[in-house]
Amino acid sequence: MSSSSSNTRQVIVNLFTTCNNANSVSQLHSLIIKSGLLHDSVLATELNKCYVNYTSLNHARKLFDETPHRSVYLWNSMLKSYFKDKQYEETLHLFNHMISGNGRDSKPDNFTIPIVLKACARLHSLRYGRIIHGFVKKCSDCCNVFVGAALIELYSRCGQMNDALKFFEEFDEPDNVLWTSMVSGYEKNGFPDEAVGFFAEMGMTKGLSPDEVMLISLVSACTQLGSSKLGRCVHGFVRRRALDTDLSLANALLNLYAKTSSLRNAGNMFRFMKEKDVISRSIMIACCGQSGNLTEALEIFNEMIRNGDEMNSVTVVSLLQACAVAVNLEEGKRIYSWAAERGFELEPSVSTALVDMYMKCSSPDEAVYIFKNTPNKDVISWVTLLNGYVLNGMAHKSMSVFRDMLLNDCKPDAIAIVKILTFCAELGVFQQALCLHGYIFINGFNNNMFVGASLVELYSKCGSLENAIKVFNTIPSKDVVIWSAMINGYGMHGQGRQALNFFDKMLQNSSVRPNNVMFLSVLSACSHAGLIEEGFELFDKMINVYGLTPSPEHYGIMVDLLGRKGELDEAIEIINQMPGPAGPDVWGALLGACRIHRNTKIGELAARNLFSLDSNHGGYHLLVSEMYSNDGKWDSVENIRSTIKKRGLKKTMGQSVVEIRNEVHSFVADDGLHPKCDQIHEVLRRLEVKMIEEGYAHGTNIFVT
């Protein structure tokens, strides 16, 4: 190259720093052509970048095609531009063009391969990715830690963590990048235990120190595990390394505390965060919503408005959820008006949160109005409506909603199917159970364990234990959820002894280890069947053999178990042995037993504790009234009834559902508005006469023989 050409080239190189718009790029391109330097691969590469930044990708591609000598740097620049523009298929197409050429300068290097592998990962193209992996094995120059990280990302995004692990183990001394890729891969694929284990293994490797990216994945793994204890350990590690100033990491920790209901830790961390963004405040609003602390949630919201924060739909959803938990319809409507002014109500997540809020605030008509005006309904929208109907005592409408959902070409996923089965179990209509089972079989959900467990529960509640057993037997791989559902089914049908036998069968013939939920099922079965000794033996095994901590529900069943046999003093001893204060379910079980066995003294103790926990529960007041009535204490009865009337307390009405000629009919106790009210009461009168003829004494809860 001559001296003048060299000077011209240097001038052009300097001019690249002045390019800041499309016009300057075009002028520089003309100068390069006039200078005869278009063949210069370095200049062509820089010009290509300018076209991408200041004009369009199409202009850059045109320059690329017109460049006679394309270096690997130019290829990499073009590939990277397509990848950044999310044109992943075009990235792979261009790479094919690159390797099909015979030019020495166009041979891929270790900067090319990561771009192509990441495009494969985004497309979930495992087959093409494996081909690239084979290419890497043949090309020793193309493999380094960045290529390794890209390969691990490919396998993890495609759900192939075993392949990712095999490749990782090929490195004698994997660095931070590779370790981070593995921890992140396990976390994103729902293997939080493995993610934590990998981090611990890395901690024993000398010369390696986790960065913020790895720690964010680790914190997310702790969130999946629901372990605030482990999360606090990570938080301590972060503070010791002075990494808590990283906002993304701080937000991950804040989210951990919020998701694990560690409200005090979340509040303390939020207060001491030096920097907060819309994500931080949205997480804290959601955290306040979980605890029903609407006041603090609104304070944060108002602070965001004062600061001029650009709020997103996540913030609005969190606020509406807080209103739903607090059952505050007025504030919910105010948030809705604010969101509507900014166009948020058109987003599916916001409209779904609105439907949920209205349903939980006992305003189903408003919820249905919002739902009908939601433009793009997804599965979550439909399931929220279904759940709302059940919450408002209208479970009989669930099947018609499910039918409309299918007619609108919205196909439920496995999670939605489980919810729908749960809603229909509330009705207990056998014909509907058969129809849903058919839909599940045709659409390939029958091998899903959670769907199987819900089907077992549905058939049990429909009175068909035989069908529940058939479903159980068809499930090839049974976990603790399936076994619990079947044991609960036996208990529901009063077959306590069979439930115990089934529990023993599980322990002997499977590797399933019982958990707290399973013990609830089997203890409940013992309670219904009056198997006191067996129940106490199981309760002892739960604590001393399996190391499980009983919940208030377990203690409630034990009290109910003793109460059914009239052993009320022993029930009091169980309550006194509880590690914490007894809840309403425990005292409620004792009060119910006192009413049946006419023990007013212990009943009054239970009532005092119940009213201190929940003084507005109409059902508890009626139980106490009946207890005094059975004991002939009419002044006490009058006092209780006066309290009920003065406070406007009401007992939750029992609902009955029957299916006649494929139509579901619903009615409640003391329902004088039902269109067939007279016929219903006539049938009830005939049933009462028949029961008395067969020895039932009204008001005694027993048959006289």
Side-chain angles (χ1 to χ4, degrees):
M1 183 183 291
S2 66
S3 177
S4 61
S5 295
S6 179
N7 291 335
T8 303
R9 186 182 186 279
Q10 188 58 48
V11 169
I12 292 172
V13 169
N14 294 336
L15 285 172
F16 274 112
T17 59
T18 66
C19 277
N20 55 14
N21 55 50
N23 188 44
S24 59
V25 175
S26 296
Q27 289 176 354
L28 188 55
H29 189 180
S30 298
L31 179 59
I32 291 172
I33 293 172
K34 289 176 183 177
S35 304
L37 295 172
L38 190 59
H39 66 280
D40 189 308
S41 60
V42 174
L43 296 181
T45 302
E46 290 302 313
L47 189 60
N48 181 275
K49 291 177 183 176
C50 287
Y51 269 118
V52 170
N53 292 333
Y54 302 114
T55 61
S56 70
L57 193 52
N58 289 336
H59 283 90
R61 180 58 188 266
K62 187 178 179 183
L63 169 67
F64 175 84
D65 291 337
E66 292 173 353
T67 304
H69 303 291
R70 302 169 196 146
S71 68
V72 68
Y73 307 110
L74 181 57
W75 282 98
N76 288 348
S77 176
M78 200 67 232
L79 286 165
K80 191 174 182 180
S81 298
Y82 276 123
F83 179 80
K84 281 188 172 181
D85 200 49
K86 298 183 180 179
Q87 296 190 39
Y88 306 126
E89 290 181 355
E90 189 60 37
T91 306
L92 298 185
H93 179 73
L94 186 63
F95 177 72
N96 280 339
H97 186 41
M98 179 183 185
I99 60 176
S100 64
N102 297 319
R104 182 180 174 185
D105 290 339
S106 63
K107 183 181 177 183
D109 63 6
N110 51 23
F111 290 99
T112 314
I113 300 302
I115 299 169
V116 181
L117 285 171
K118 287 179 179 180
C120 291
R122 299 303 190 279
L123 292 169
H124 291 87
S125 179
L126 182 61
R127 186 182 66 83
Y128 197 90
R130 289 191 192 280
I131 293 172
I132 306 298
H133 190 175
F135 179 85
V136 170
K137 287 180 178 178
K138 293 177 183 177
C139 178
S140 58
D141 295 337
C142 293
C143 192
N144 63 7
V145 290
F146 296 105
V147 173
L151 268 168
I152 290 171
E153 182 189 352
L154 165 73
Y155 287 127
S156 65
R157 275 183 176 263
C158 294
Q160 305 295 316
M161 286 309 299
N162 287 335
D163 288 334
L165 179 60
K166 285 178 186 176
F167 181 69
F168 175 85
E169 290 173 343
E170 291 178 12
F171 287 83
D172 295 328
E173 295 182 358
D175 69 348
N176 263 24
V177 176
L178 292 173
W179 282 98
T180 299
S181 299
M182 286 301 298
V183 172
S184 177
Y186 276 124
E187 181 267 319
K188 284 182 170 60
N189 279 278
F191 299 112
D193 286 311
E194 287 79 357
V196 173
F198 234 81
F199 176 80
E201 188 179 341
M202 177 191 169
M204 294 183 286
T205 305
K206 290 183 179 179
L208 293 176
S209 180
D211 59 8
E212 292 89 341
V213 176
M214 177 183 283
L215 289 168
I216 288 170
S217 294
L218 180 64
V219 172
S220 297
C222 296
T223 305
Q224 286 185 38
L225 291 168
S227 176
S228 60
K229 182 179 180 181
L230 189 58
R232 286 196 299 274
C233 293
V234 177
H235 193 178
F237 177 87
V238 167
R239 293 183 68 181
R240 286 194 298 275
R241 297 294 180 96
L243 296 172
D244 51 342
T245 55
D246 182 87
L247 184 58
S248 296
L249 181 54
N251 283 340
L253 284 163
L254 187 64
N255 184 56
L256 163 77
Y257 289 134
K259 293 283 176 65
T260 55
S261 300
S262 303
L263 307 180
R264 182 179 295 177
N265 288 327
N268 289 337
M269 182 169 183
F270 183 77
R271 278 190 292 275
F272 289 106
M273 282 174 69
K274 293 179 181 178
E275 184 185 358
K276 302 182 183 82
D277 61 3
V278 65
I279 297 173
S280 317
R281 293 185 174 91
S282 295
I283 291 170
M284 201 58 213
I285 287 171
C287 187
C288 294
Q290 289 173 22
S291 61
N293 189 351
L294 181 59
T295 304
E296 190 172 343
L298 290 172
E299 283 178 7
I300 298 170
F301 172 63
N302 292 328
E303 182 188 350
M304 292 174 79
I305 293 175
R306 287 194 299 271
N307 293 340
D309 290 345
E310 189 173 336
M311 284 174 264
N312 55 27
S313 58
V314 176
T315 313
V316 178
V317 168
S318 299
L319 279 165
L320 291 170
Q321 288 172 343
C323 293
V325 172
V327 196
N328 192 320
L329 184 60
E330 185 179 345
E331 283 295 342
K333 286 182 175 180
R334 187 174 74 85
I335 300 299
Y336 170 47
S337 298
W338 181 91
E341 289 173 5
R342 290 154 182 81
F344 283 123
E345 87 282 7
L346 297 176
E347 295 192 29
S349 60
V350 175
S351 58
T352 299
L354 270 168
V355 170
D356 183 59
M357 187 272 295
Y358 276 123
M359 284 295 192
K360 286 178 178 174
C361 292
S362 304
S363 300
D365 292 339
E366 287 89 341
V368 172
Y369 174 79
I370 294 293
F371 178 81
K372 286 181 177 178
N373 287 280
T374 301
N376 299 308
K377 302 178 185 70
D378 57 12
V379 173
I380 300 172
S381 306
W382 286 96
V383 172
T384 302
L385 182 66
L386 282 163
N387 188 46
Y389 276 132
V390 174
L391 282 174
N392 284 274
M394 294 183 282
H396 58 283
K397 291 191 175 185
S398 57
M399 281 306 289
S400 62
V401 173
F402 180 55
R403 184 191 64 233
D404 291 342
M405 175 182 174
L406 297 179
L407 289 173
N408 280 270
D409 293 326
C410 186
K411 292 186 178 180
D413 55 12
I415 296 171
I417 288 291
V418 168
K419 294 239 179 213
I420 291 161
L421 291 172
T422 304
F423 300 153
C424 289
E426 296 289 322
L427 299 174
V429 179
F430 181 63
Q431 193 62 39
Q432 285 186 355
L434 291 174
C435 291
L436 282 170
H437 193 175
Y439 177 86
I440 287 165
F441 183 81
I442 292 168
N443 288 276
F445 290 109
N446 48 305
N447 290 325
N448 184 288
M449 285 187 288
F450 293 101
V451 172
S454 298
L455 258 179
V456 168
E457 181 186 9
L458 174 59
Y459 275 127
S460 298
K461 287 189 174 181
C462 289
S464 180
L465 191 60
E466 181 183 352
N467 279 55
I469 294 168
K470 284 180 181 177
V471 171
F472 176 86
N473 290 333
T474 60
I475 298 171
S477 180
K478 301 175 180 68
D479 66 353
V480 67
V481 179
I482 297 287
W483 284 97
S484 295
M486 197 63 247
I487 290 170
N488 196 47
Y490 277 116
M492 203 182 296
H493 285 255
Q495 299 185 22
R497 187 64 63 184
Q498 286 89 331
L500 284 174
N501 292 339
F502 212 71
F503 180 73
D504 291 336
K505 178 183 175 182
M506 182 201 77
L507 296 178
Q508 294 167 11
N509 302 328
S510 78
S511 59
V512 173
R513 183 180 175 85
N515 60 10
N516 284 57
V517 176
M518 179 171 284
F519 273 106
L520 271 179
S521 298
V522 71
L523 286 171
S524 180
C526 290
S527 178
H528 288 307
L531 303 173
I532 296 178
E533 290 182 9
E534 292 85 346
F536 270 90
E537 185 180 337
L538 281 168
F539 191 68
D540 181 69
K541 279 185 180 179
M542 175 185 172
I543 299 169
N544 298 315
V545 176
Y546 294 101
L548 298 172
T549 303
S551 67
E553 287 82 3
H554 292 98
Y555 283 106
I557 290 174
M558 296 307 294
V559 169
D560 183 61
L561 187 68
L562 292 165
R564 285 172 184 266
K565 287 290 186 180
E567 299 181 11
L568 303 179
D569 291 325
E570 288 81 355
I572 288 289
E573 286 182 22
I574 286 284
I575 294 173
N576 291 334
Q577 291 171 14
M578 289 178 65
D585 47 352
V586 176
W587 290 114
L590 181 62
L591 178 60
C594 291
R595 180 186 67 84
I596 293 170
H597 297 286
R598 301 191 175 190
N599 190 321
T600 307
K601 183 180 178 182
I602 295 179
E604 286 177 337
L605 171 67
R608 282 195 300 273
N609 283 281
L610 267 175
F611 293 156
S612 68
L613 294 168
D614 188 355
S615 60
N616 295 319
H617 195 295
Y620 295 149
H621 284 80
L622 287 172
L623 265 178
V624 175
S625 175
E626 289 179 24
M627 179 183 71
Y628 283 137
S629 175
N630 291 339
D631 204 34
K633 295 185 175 181
W634 302 112
D635 289 342
S636 299
V637 171
E638 185 58 35
N639 288 336
I640 292 291
R641 289 181 178 175
S642 175
T643 301
I644 292 172
K645 188 174 181 180
K646 191 180 297 181
R647 293 189 188 175
L649 304 179
K650 290 182 180 179
K651 181 182 177 183
T652 303
M653 293 296 183
Q655 183 182 24
S656 299
V657 177
V658 294
E659 182 187 24
I660 302 172
R661 299 184 187 93
N662 296 324
E663 186 178 352
V664 177
H665 299 267
S666 172
F667 51 93
V668 298
D670 295 327
D671 185 4
L673 301 176
H674 195 280
K676 296 187 178 181
C677 182
D678 293 338
Q679 294 97 311
I680 291 168
H681 284 97
E682 177 60 31
V683 171
L684 288 173
R685 279 191 291 272
R686 289 203 301 268
L687 282 172
E688 187 176 15
V689 170
K690 185 71 174 173
M691 290 167 68
I692 291 171
E693 288 175 354
E694 294 189 6
Y696 178 75
H698 180 69
T700 63
N701 296 313
I702 58 171
F703 278 93
V704 179
T705 56

